[in-house]
Amino acid sequence: MKKIVFLDIDGTILNTDKQIPKLTKLGIKQLKDRGIYVAIATGRGPFMFKDIREELGVDTYVSFNGQYVALDGEAIYHYSFPVDQMKQFLFNAKQFGHSIVFQSIDGMASSVDYDAFIKNGFSTLHFDHPVYDPEYYKTQPISQMILFCREEEEKAYEEQFPDFHFTRWHEFAVDVLPKGNSKATGIQWIIERLGLDLKDTYAFGDGLNDLEMLQTVGNGVAMGNSHPELKKSIPLSTSHVNEDGLYAGFKRFGLLDE
């Protein structure tokens, strides 16, 4: 029976130095050689991990936490926010003194010229501060917004925008998605399109935006470096990403021979 493995990027494929460990590359190659589908599932936009896809030879992926899904390089799902919703969200963010980064499948732009929170958040991904373009959301289909605020400031947005789902990935940054969409809904598009049995689906991740995905697949595995709340919720685990945790997980759960 065909199997599929969904892999988060940061803290799962990439170690803490933002490098792909040699054994991770080897393990992914061995999975593919065994006829196992390998897919990426990330909060990043497609333009932010093109180099990783090319290096690993992976062209099936869930990006923007489920807003853009590709199977064998072809888009099978693409969500974009209505402009009026984004306009209202931006207005509220300005009232609170917060910044937004708008992301399309080809690029991104900031609502402000510079914000230390944006700089801090994107530096953890090894990306520069996005360019300033206050009209970007009006000219491009936007699949994900990133709100930059502290965690205690997030609740006000949750109350004012009940149709949005907020997923925090950094002390100062939270992904903004349409309610009901997530990595979990993104991977379901692929699973259903391929006609796979749930018991033959696997996923590895480390962040809170991976929780629904790990709970949806038949075999969800938390990396050893996972967020504490994720570890509490996911019974299966492997070692730290810096200790070749992904490769160890492939072996531990029967995807590769011991």
Tab-separated table of all heavy atoms in Angstrom, residues 47-97:
chain	number	residue	atom	x	y	z
A	47	PHE	N	7.551	30.529	-2.292
A	47	PHE	CA	8.771	31.236	-2.677
A	47	PHE	C	9.849	31.168	-1.599
A	47	PHE	O	11.021	31.432	-1.870
A	47	PHE	CB	8.454	32.708	-2.989
A	47	PHE	CG	8.031	33.507	-1.782
A	47	PHE	CD1	8.957	34.256	-1.073
A	47	PHE	CD2	6.710	33.506	-1.361
A	47	PHE	CE1	8.571	34.991	0.041
A	47	PHE	CE2	6.313	34.245	-0.249
A	47	PHE	CZ	7.244	34.981	0.466
A	48	MET	N	9.449	30.796	-0.366
A	48	MET	CA	10.384	30.787	0.748
A	48	MET	C	11.097	29.455	0.930
A	48	MET	O	12.027	29.352	1.739
A	48	MET	CB	9.664	31.139	2.050
A	48	MET	CG	9.030	32.513	2.059
A	48	MET	SD	8.094	32.856	3.579
A	48	MET	CE	9.407	33.079	4.763
A	49	PHE	N	10.698	28.426	0.186
A	49	PHE	CA	11.394	27.145	0.340
A	49	PHE	C	11.592	26.429	-0.998
A	49	PHE	O	11.708	25.208	-1.058
A	49	PHE	CB	10.665	26.228	1.343
A	49	PHE	CG	9.259	25.814	0.969
A	49	PHE	CD1	9.005	24.558	0.441
A	49	PHE	CD2	8.192	26.668	1.173
A	49	PHE	CE1	7.718	24.161	0.122
A	49	PHE	CE2	6.895	26.293	0.852
A	49	PHE	CZ	6.660	25.032	0.320
A	50	LYS	N	11.668	27.205	-2.061
A	50	LYS	CA	11.933	26.631	-3.372
A	50	LYS	C	13.272	25.908	-3.388
A	50	LYS	O	13.401	24.815	-3.969
A	50	LYS	CB	11.917	27.729	-4.444
A	50	LYS	CG	12.120	27.205	-5.861
A	50	LYS	CD	12.101	28.348	-6.879
A	50	LYS	CE	12.337	27.821	-8.293
A	50	LYS	NZ	12.373	28.924	-9.288
A	51	ASP	N	14.282	26.501	-2.744
A	51	ASP	CA	15.610	25.880	-2.712
A	51	ASP	C	15.591	24.549	-1.973
A	51	ASP	O	16.279	23.592	-2.381
A	51	ASP	CB	16.623	26.827	-2.065
A	51	ASP	CG	16.210	27.267	-0.668
A	51	ASP	OD1	15.006	27.232	-0.353
A	51	ASP	OD2	17.107	27.652	0.115
A	52	ILE	N	14.777	24.449	-0.925
A	52	ILE	CA	14.676	23.201	-0.167
A	52	ILE	C	13.995	22.128	-1.011
A	52	ILE	O	14.432	20.971	-1.037
A	52	ILE	CB	13.906	23.438	1.149
A	52	ILE	CG1	14.708	24.378	2.053
A	52	ILE	CG2	13.608	22.118	1.855
A	52	ILE	CD1	13.967	24.798	3.305
A	53	ARG	N	12.927	22.507	-1.711
A	53	ARG	CA	12.237	21.544	-2.577
A	53	ARG	C	13.186	21.001	-3.643
A	53	ARG	O	13.206	19.803	-3.932
A	53	ARG	CB	11.024	22.193	-3.263
A	53	ARG	CG	9.969	22.697	-2.287
A	53	ARG	CD	8.620	22.891	-2.959
A	53	ARG	NE	8.626	23.741	-4.130
A	53	ARG	CZ	8.499	25.064	-4.106
A	53	ARG	NH1	8.404	25.700	-2.944
A	53	ARG	NH2	8.472	25.769	-5.221
A	54	GLU	N	13.966	21.909	-4.229
A	54	GLU	CA	14.888	21.487	-5.284
A	54	GLU	C	15.993	20.604	-4.734
A	54	GLU	O	16.375	19.606	-5.359
A	54	GLU	CB	15.476	22.716	-5.977
A	54	GLU	CG	14.443	23.495	-6.796
A	54	GLU	CD	14.999	24.777	-7.388
A	54	GLU	OE1	16.110	25.202	-6.962
A	54	GLU	OE2	14.325	25.370	-8.261
A	55	GLU	N	16.509	20.945	-3.573
A	55	GLU	CA	17.595	20.162	-2.979
A	55	GLU	C	17.141	18.753	-2.612
A	55	GLU	O	17.887	17.789	-2.765
A	55	GLU	CB	18.140	20.869	-1.734
A	55	GLU	CG	19.341	20.185	-1.110
A	55	GLU	CD	19.994	21.009	-0.015
A	55	GLU	OE1	19.561	22.153	0.216
A	55	GLU	OE2	20.954	20.487	0.602
A	56	LEU	N	15.894	18.632	-2.151
A	56	LEU	CA	15.375	17.330	-1.722
A	56	LEU	C	14.629	16.592	-2.829
A	56	LEU	O	14.308	15.422	-2.674
A	56	LEU	CB	14.447	17.510	-0.520
A	56	LEU	CG	15.085	18.088	0.748
A	56	LEU	CD1	14.021	18.290	1.820
A	56	LEU	CD2	16.196	17.179	1.260
A	57	GLY	N	14.337	17.277	-3.919
A	57	GLY	CA	13.583	16.652	-4.994
A	57	GLY	C	12.144	16.382	-4.603
A	57	GLY	O	11.574	15.339	-4.962
A	58	VAL	N	11.545	17.309	-3.862
A	58	VAL	CA	10.165	17.169	-3.392
A	58	VAL	C	9.304	18.239	-4.051
A	58	VAL	O	9.592	19.428	-3.933
A	58	VAL	CB	10.091	17.310	-1.857
A	58	VAL	CG1	8.639	17.337	-1.393
A	58	VAL	CG2	10.853	16.177	-1.178
A	59	ASP	N	8.253	17.833	-4.741
A	59	ASP	CA	7.384	18.812	-5.400
A	59	ASP	C	5.915	18.675	-5.002
A	59	ASP	O	5.020	19.190	-5.661
A	59	ASP	CB	7.531	18.751	-6.919
A	59	ASP	CG	7.254	17.372	-7.497
A	59	ASP	OD1	6.837	16.479	-6.726
A	59	ASP	OD2	7.440	17.190	-8.719
A	60	THR	N	5.675	17.971	-3.894
A	60	THR	CA	4.340	17.907	-3.298
A	60	THR	C	4.422	18.612	-1.953
A	60	THR	O	5.292	18.291	-1.140
A	60	THR	CB	3.888	16.449	-3.107
A	60	THR	OG1	3.705	15.851	-4.400
A	60	THR	CG2	2.576	16.369	-2.339
A	61	TYR	N	3.543	19.592	-1.746
A	61	TYR	CA	3.684	20.366	-0.509
A	61	TYR	C	2.401	21.097	-0.124
A	61	TYR	O	1.545	21.402	-0.948
A	61	TYR	CB	4.825	21.379	-0.632
A	61	TYR	CG	4.717	22.343	-1.791
A	61	TYR	CD1	4.075	23.575	-1.660
A	61	TYR	CD2	5.271	22.030	-3.039
A	61	TYR	CE1	3.986	24.462	-2.722
A	61	TYR	CE2	5.185	22.910	-4.113
A	61	TYR	CZ	4.543	24.119	-3.941
A	61	TYR	OH	4.449	24.994	-5.004
A	62	VAL	N	2.326	21.350	1.178
A	62	VAL	CA	1.290	22.194	1.777
A	62	VAL	C	2.007	23.435	2.275
A	62	VAL	O	2.928	23.341	3.088
A	62	VAL	CB	0.610	21.468	2.956
A	62	VAL	CG1	-0.342	22.409	3.684
A	62	VAL	CG2	-0.110	20.224	2.471
A	63	SER	N	1.621	24.604	1.797
A	63	SER	CA	2.284	25.840	2.217
A	63	SER	C	1.268	26.807	2.808
A	63	SER	O	0.053	26.585	2.723
A	63	SER	CB	3.010	26.484	1.031
A	63	SER	OG	2.100	26.819	0.003
A	64	PHE	N	1.787	27.878	3.424
A	64	PHE	CA	0.916	28.852	4.086
A	64	PHE	C	-0.049	28.168	5.056
A	64	PHE	O	-1.213	28.532	5.147
A	64	PHE	CB	0.103	29.650	3.065
A	64	PHE	CG	0.895	30.613	2.228
A	64	PHE	CD1	0.682	30.696	0.853
A	64	PHE	CD2	1.845	31.447	2.786
A	64	PHE	CE1	1.389	31.597	0.068
A	64	PHE	CE2	2.557	32.340	2.008
A	64	PHE	CZ	2.331	32.420	0.650
A	65	ASN	N	0.444	27.140	5.751
A	65	ASN	CA	-0.411	26.428	6.715
A	65	ASN	C	-1.708	25.920	6.083
A	65	ASN	O	-2.767	25.919	6.710
A	65	ASN	CB	-0.742	27.329	7.903
A	65	ASN	CG	0.455	27.592	8.789
A	65	ASN	OD1	1.076	26.659	9.299
A	65	ASN	ND2	0.811	28.859	8.958
A	66	GLY	N	-1.621	25.505	4.816
A	66	GLY	CA	-2.783	24.894	4.171
A	66	GLY	C	-3.494	25.738	3.144
A	66	GLY	O	-4.455	25.280	2.523
A	67	GLN	N	-3.018	26.967	2.918
A	67	GLN	CA	-3.718	27.852	1.977
A	67	GLN	C	-3.329	27.625	0.522
A	67	GLN	O	-4.048	28.032	-0.389
A	67	GLN	CB	-3.473	29.325	2.332
A	67	GLN	CG	-3.614	29.678	3.795
A	67	GLN	CD	-4.770	28.991	4.473
A	67	GLN	OE1	-5.921	29.147	4.085
A	67	GLN	NE2	-4.459	28.200	5.495
A	68	TYR	N	-2.164	26.990	0.309
A	68	TYR	CA	-1.734	26.668	-1.058
A	68	TYR	C	-1.166	25.256	-1.035
A	68	TYR	O	-0.199	24.979	-0.318
A	68	TYR	CB	-0.686	27.656	-1.560
A	68	TYR	CG	-0.304	27.454	-3.011
A	68	TYR	CD1	-1.053	28.055	-4.029
A	68	TYR	CD2	0.769	26.659	-3.377
A	68	TYR	CE1	-0.719	27.871	-5.366
A	68	TYR	CE2	1.110	26.463	-4.700
A	68	TYR	CZ	0.370	27.077	-5.686
A	68	TYR	OH	0.700	26.877	-7.022
A	69	VAL	N	-1.779	24.375	-1.817
A	69	VAL	CA	-1.411	22.961	-1.805
A	69	VAL	C	-1.054	22.513	-3.213
A	69	VAL	O	-1.811	22.763	-4.167
A	69	VAL	CB	-2.578	22.091	-1.262
A	69	VAL	CG1	-2.163	20.624	-1.212
A	69	VAL	CG2	-3.013	22.578	0.113
A	70	ALA	N	0.088	21.854	-3.358
A	70	ALA	CA	0.540	21.365	-4.662
A	70	ALA	C	0.803	19.864	-4.591
A	70	ALA	O	1.387	19.368	-3.615
A	70	ALA	CB	1.805	22.093	-5.104
A	71	LEU	N	0.370	19.163	-5.610
A	71	LEU	CA	0.614	17.729	-5.743
A	71	LEU	C	1.419	17.504	-7.016
A	71	LEU	O	0.964	17.871	-8.108
A	71	LEU	CB	-0.713	16.964	-5.802
A	71	LEU	CG	-0.631	15.453	-6.034
A	71	LEU	CD1	0.134	14.766	-4.905
A	71	LEU	CD2	-2.031	14.850	-6.160
A	72	ASP	N	2.617	16.965	-6.861
A	72	ASP	CA	3.521	16.757	-7.996
A	72	ASP	C	3.718	18.045	-8.795
A	72	ASP	O	3.744	18.044	-10.025
A	72	ASP	CB	2.997	15.640	-8.906
A	72	ASP	CG	2.966	14.285	-8.207
A	72	ASP	OD1	3.854	14.020	-7.387
A	72	ASP	OD2	2.046	13.497	-8.489
A	73	GLY	N	3.846	19.142	-8.068
A	73	GLY	CA	4.131	20.424	-8.705
A	73	GLY	C	2.937	21.181	-9.232
A	73	GLY	O	3.078	22.325	-9.686
A	74	GLU	N	1.746	20.597	-9.161
A	74	GLU	CA	0.538	21.248	-9.671
A	74	GLU	C	-0.376	21.663	-8.516
A	74	GLU	O	-0.654	20.875	-7.619
A	74	GLU	CB	-0.223	20.307	-10.607
A	74	GLU	CG	0.547	19.912	-11.860
A	74	GLU	CD	0.812	21.092	-12.778
A	74	GLU	OE1	-0.035	22.013	-12.830
A	74	GLU	OE2	1.869	21.099	-13.428
A	75	ALA	N	-0.840	22.903	-8.544
A	75	ALA	CA	-1.720	23.400	-7.481
A	75	ALA	C	-3.060	22.666	-7.505
A	75	ALA	O	-3.700	22.551	-8.554
A	75	ALA	CB	-1.940	24.895	-7.640
A	76	ILE	N	-3.473	22.177	-6.337
A	76	ILE	CA	-4.788	21.531	-6.236
A	76	ILE	C	-5.701	22.303	-5.280
A	76	ILE	O	-6.889	22.006	-5.180
A	76	ILE	CB	-4.680	20.060	-5.787
A	76	ILE	CG1	-4.005	19.942	-4.412
A	76	ILE	CG2	-3.932	19.239	-6.831
A	76	ILE	CD1	-4.032	18.518	-3.855
A	77	TYR	N	-5.144	23.303	-4.566
A	77	TYR	CA	-5.958	24.159	-3.715
A	77	TYR	C	-5.222	25.475	-3.508
A	77	TYR	O	-4.004	25.494	-3.276
A	77	TYR	CB	-6.232	23.508	-2.352
A	77	TYR	CG	-7.048	24.389	-1.423
A	77	TYR	CD1	-8.411	24.571	-1.626
A	77	TYR	CD2	-6.443	25.050	-0.361
A	77	TYR	CE1	-9.165	25.397	-0.787
A	77	TYR	CE2	-7.184	25.875	0.484
A	77	TYR	CZ	-8.537	26.041	0.269
A	77	TYR	OH	-9.282	26.856	1.085
A	78	HIS	N	-5.958	26.596	-3.590
A	78	HIS	CA	-5.357	27.915	-3.389
A	78	HIS	C	-6.410	28.853	-2.822
A	78	HIS	O	-7.400	29.146	-3.480
A	78	HIS	CB	-4.813	28.460	-4.715
A	78	HIS	CG	-4.114	29.779	-4.569
A	78	HIS	ND1	-3.791	30.573	-5.647
A	78	HIS	CD2	-3.683	30.450	-3.463
A	78	HIS	CE1	-3.178	31.673	-5.220
A	78	HIS	NE2	-3.112	31.621	-3.898
A	79	TYR	N	-6.189	29.297	-1.580
A	79	TYR	CA	-7.097	30.246	-0.949
A	79	TYR	C	-6.452	31.628	-0.918
A	79	TYR	O	-5.251	31.759	-0.665
A	79	TYR	CB	-7.421	29.830	0.490
A	79	TYR	CG	-8.285	30.847	1.214
A	79	TYR	CD1	-9.661	30.790	1.125
A	79	TYR	CD2	-7.694	31.882	1.950
A	79	TYR	CE1	-10.466	31.737	1.758
A	79	TYR	CE2	-8.492	32.830	2.591
A	79	TYR	CZ	-9.870	32.756	2.483
A	79	TYR	OH	-10.648	33.696	3.101
A	80	SER	N	-7.252	32.661	-1.164
A	80	SER	CA	-6.774	34.036	-0.993
A	80	SER	C	-7.838	34.842	-0.253
A	80	SER	O	-9.039	34.660	-0.469
A	80	SER	CB	-6.440	34.679	-2.338
A	80	SER	OG	-7.542	34.643	-3.213
A	81	PHE	N	-7.396	35.732	0.628
A	81	PHE	CA	-8.302	36.539	1.442
A	81	PHE	C	-9.053	37.574	0.600
A	81	PHE	O	-8.473	38.173	-0.309
A	81	PHE	CB	-7.512	37.302	2.506
A	81	PHE	CG	-7.065	36.481	3.671
A	81	PHE	CD1	-5.786	35.954	3.721
A	81	PHE	CD2	-7.914	36.251	4.748
A	81	PHE	CE1	-5.352	35.212	4.802
A	81	PHE	CE2	-7.498	35.510	5.836
A	81	PHE	CZ	-6.214	34.987	5.867
A	82	PRO	N	-10.309	37.832	0.912
A	82	PRO	CA	-11.026	38.958	0.288
A	82	PRO	C	-10.340	40.270	0.685
A	82	PRO	O	-9.925	40.433	1.838
A	82	PRO	CB	-12.433	38.862	0.892
A	82	PRO	CG	-12.563	37.441	1.352
A	82	PRO	CD	-11.191	37.039	1.790
A	83	VAL	N	-10.245	41.195	-0.236
A	83	VAL	CA	-9.553	42.459	0.017
A	83	VAL	C	-10.203	43.241	1.153
A	83	VAL	O	-9.509	43.845	1.982
A	83	VAL	CB	-9.501	43.312	-1.269
A	83	VAL	CG1	-8.944	44.696	-0.971
A	83	VAL	CG2	-8.643	42.625	-2.327
A	84	ASP	N	-11.532	43.230	1.216
A	84	ASP	CA	-12.195	44.015	2.255
A	84	ASP	C	-11.875	43.499	3.656
A	84	ASP	O	-11.764	44.285	4.607
A	84	ASP	CB	-13.710	44.060	2.023
A	84	ASP	CG	-14.362	42.687	2.032
A	84	ASP	OD1	-13.649	41.695	1.799
A	84	ASP	OD2	-15.583	42.607	2.272
A	85	GLN	N	-11.713	42.186	3.786
A	85	GLN	CA	-11.323	41.618	5.078
A	85	GLN	C	-9.938	42.093	5.483
A	85	GLN	O	-9.693	42.461	6.636
A	85	GLN	CB	-11.338	40.086	5.024
A	85	GLN	CG	-12.699	39.446	5.173
A	85	GLN	CD	-12.601	37.953	5.381
A	85	GLN	OE1	-11.564	37.331	5.131
A	85	GLN	NE2	-13.683	37.354	5.836
A	86	MET	N	-9.014	42.074	4.535
A	86	MET	CA	-7.646	42.496	4.832
A	86	MET	C	-7.577	43.982	5.147
A	86	MET	O	-6.816	44.411	6.025
A	86	MET	CB	-6.725	42.147	3.661
A	86	MET	CG	-6.535	40.656	3.447
A	86	MET	SD	-5.309	40.269	2.175
A	86	MET	CE	-6.226	40.725	0.686
A	87	LYS	N	-8.382	44.757	4.443
A	87	LYS	CA	-8.399	46.197	4.678
A	87	LYS	C	-8.846	46.497	6.103
A	87	LYS	O	-8.252	47.345	6.794
A	87	LYS	CB	-9.336	46.873	3.670
A	87	LYS	CG	-9.367	48.393	3.774
A	87	LYS	CD	-10.270	48.989	2.703
A	87	LYS	CE	-10.290	50.509	2.792
A	87	LYS	NZ	-11.158	51.109	1.736
A	88	GLN	N	-9.892	45.802	6.571
A	88	GLN	CA	-10.380	46.009	7.928
A	88	GLN	C	-9.361	45.534	8.963
A	88	GLN	O	-9.141	46.181	9.992
A	88	GLN	CB	-11.702	45.263	8.140
A	88	GLN	CG	-12.342	45.499	9.505
A	88	GLN	CD	-12.693	46.964	9.746
A	88	GLN	OE1	-13.325	47.596	8.913
A	88	GLN	NE2	-12.260	47.496	10.882
A	89	PHE	N	-8.712	44.407	8.665
A	89	PHE	CA	-7.712	43.869	9.585
A	89	PHE	C	-6.518	44.823	9.705
A	89	PHE	O	-6.014	45.084	10.801
A	89	PHE	CB	-7.243	42.492	9.098
A	89	PHE	CG	-6.430	41.732	10.106
A	89	PHE	CD1	-7.021	41.215	11.242
A	89	PHE	CD2	-5.070	41.527	9.917
A	89	PHE	CE1	-6.276	40.502	12.186
A	89	PHE	CE2	-4.317	40.821	10.846
A	89	PHE	CZ	-4.927	40.313	11.978
A	90	LEU	N	-6.103	45.375	8.578
A	90	LEU	CA	-4.999	46.331	8.571
A	90	LEU	C	-5.378	47.593	9.346
A	90	LEU	O	-4.557	48.137	10.101
A	90	LEU	CB	-4.618	46.682	7.131
A	90	LEU	CG	-3.505	47.717	6.949
A	90	LEU	CD1	-2.217	47.257	7.614
A	90	LEU	CD2	-3.273	47.973	5.457
A	91	PHE	N	-6.598	48.054	9.167
A	91	PHE	CA	-7.063	49.236	9.886
A	91	PHE	C	-6.965	49.012	11.396
A	91	PHE	O	-6.470	49.872	12.141
A	91	PHE	CB	-8.513	49.560	9.492
A	91	PHE	CG	-9.110	50.697	10.266
A	91	PHE	CD1	-8.862	52.014	9.905
A	91	PHE	CD2	-9.931	50.454	11.370
A	91	PHE	CE1	-9.406	53.078	10.624
A	91	PHE	CE2	-10.478	51.503	12.099
A	91	PHE	CZ	-10.215	52.815	11.713
A	92	ASN	N	-7.440	47.853	11.863
A	92	ASN	CA	-7.385	47.557	13.292
A	92	ASN	C	-5.957	47.445	13.786
A	92	ASN	O	-5.625	47.915	14.882
A	92	ASN	CB	-8.145	46.264	13.597
A	92	ASN	CG	-9.648	46.441	13.560
A	92	ASN	OD1	-10.176	47.082	12.654
A	92	ASN	ND2	-10.356	45.864	14.518
A	93	ALA	N	-5.093	46.819	12.980
A	93	ALA	CA	-3.691	46.673	13.375
A	93	ALA	C	-3.034	48.043	13.541
A	93	ALA	O	-2.265	48.267	14.482
A	93	ALA	CB	-2.939	45.840	12.343
A	94	LYS	N	-3.345	48.952	12.641
A	94	LYS	CA	-2.790	50.305	12.741
A	94	LYS	C	-3.273	50.996	14.009
A	94	LYS	O	-2.517	51.726	14.669
A	94	LYS	CB	-3.182	51.129	11.512
A	94	LYS	CG	-2.441	50.752	10.238
A	94	LYS	CD	-2.891	51.630	9.075
A	94	LYS	CE	-2.100	51.330	7.811
A	94	LYS	NZ	-2.565	52.166	6.664
A	95	GLN	N	-4.540	50.770	14.369
A	95	GLN	CA	-5.091	51.371	15.580
A	95	GLN	C	-4.344	50.891	16.821
A	95	GLN	O	-4.151	51.650	17.782
A	95	GLN	CB	-6.580	51.027	15.720
A	95	GLN	CG	-7.474	51.573	14.619
A	95	GLN	CD	-7.487	53.099	14.569
A	95	GLN	OE1	-6.918	53.713	13.684
A	95	GLN	NE2	-8.126	53.711	15.560
A	96	PHE	N	-3.916	49.615	16.790
A	96	PHE	CA	-3.198	49.042	17.924
A	96	PHE	C	-1.681	49.272	17.834
A	96	PHE	O	-0.938	48.911	18.746
A	96	PHE	CB	-3.453	47.533	18.017
A	96	PHE	CG	-4.818	47.172	18.526
A	96	PHE	CD1	-5.666	46.399	17.754
A	96	PHE	CD2	-5.249	47.590	19.778
A	96	PHE	CE1	-6.927	46.042	18.219
A	96	PHE	CE2	-6.500	47.248	20.253
A	96	PHE	CZ	-7.346	46.476	19.483
A	97	GLY	N	-1.236	49.852	16.723
A	97	GLY	CA	0.189	50.095	16.550
A	97	GLY	C	0.978	48.858	16.160
A	97	GLY	O	2.176	48.752	16.459
